[in-house]
């Protein structure tokens, strides 16, 4: 798990100095990492969302998957119904804290080419998602 560097919010910070907590979206649907790709796609369709926060058996956030990623896996020639979400999370080990400054979080999402970044508390539980427009 890679935690984006946290910096305390300066006293008197203006609107340009917001923290992640001030702009993050709700976490949305959270699913277990042992879920199959097909079931995850069904959950996304039912929830009318393009992403899912993935958690382990202990409720700790392990990453985030998108509809596009899951569809690509499902449509690949190597796909079987035994593929689980935990098998796909290799590139999604980045997280951020709610107290991270937006400038730092934006830099991390652009550096790692992430469309969204899970926001976690100190225990690793998902609090929300920081989604940046590209």
């Amino acid at each position: 798990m890679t935690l984006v560097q946290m910096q305390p919010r300066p006293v008197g910070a203006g609107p340009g100095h917001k923290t992640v907590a001030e702009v993050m979206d709700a976490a949305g649907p959270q699913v277990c990492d042992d879920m199959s790709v097909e079931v995850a796609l069904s959950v996304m369709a039912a929830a009318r969302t393009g992403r899912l926060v993935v958690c382990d058996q202990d409720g700790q956030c392990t990453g985030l998957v998108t509809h596009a990623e899951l569809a690509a896996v499902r449509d690949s020639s190597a796909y079987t119904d035994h593929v689980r979400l935990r098998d796909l999370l290799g590139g999604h080990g980045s997280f951020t804290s709610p107290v991270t400054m937006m400038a730092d979080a934006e830099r991390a999402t652009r550096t790692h080419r992430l469309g969204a970044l899970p926001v976690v508390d100190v225990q690793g539980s998902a609090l929300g998602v920081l989604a940046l427009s590209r």
Side-chain angles (χ1 to χ4, degrees):
M1 175 166 99
T2 304
L3 188 63
V4 176
Q5 182 178 349
M6 297 174 19
Q7 295 182 1
R9 183 176 182 186
V11 176
H17 295 88
K18 292 184 177 190
T19 63
V20 168
E22 296 173 85
V23 297
M24 71 182 183
D25 298 327
Q30 297 182 34
V31 297
C32 192
D33 64 359
D34 66 350
M35 182 176 282
S36 72
V37 170
E38 286 295 332
V39 173
L41 285 166
S42 295
V43 169
M44 279 186 188
R48 296 183 180 168
T49 187
R51 64 180 177 246
L52 294 172
V53 173
V54 182
C55 300
D56 64 13
Q57 303 294 348
D58 298 322
Q60 291 193 332
C61 181
T62 58
L64 185 127
V65 293
T66 66
H67 185 274
E69 291 169 329
L70 295 182
V73 168
R74 182 196 56 205
D75 296 341
S76 76
S77 60
Y79 175 73
T80 72
D81 61 354
H82 297 289
V83 177
R84 300 290 178 239
L85 297 181
R86 73 171 63 96
D87 303 327
L88 310 176
L89 293 174
H92 292 285
S94 295
F95 305 90
T96 192
S97 162
V99 297
T100 301
M101 299 305 294
M102 275 302 300
D104 295 329
E106 287 174 348
R107 192 171 22 262
T109 57
R110 295 197 199 307
T111 299
H112 298 290
R113 297 178 185 225
L114 302 171
L117 193 61
V119 180
V120 298
D121 63 15
V122 293
Q123 288 83 28
S125 298
L127 300 174
V129 174
L130 178 64
L132 299 178
S133 57
R134 293 191 163 214

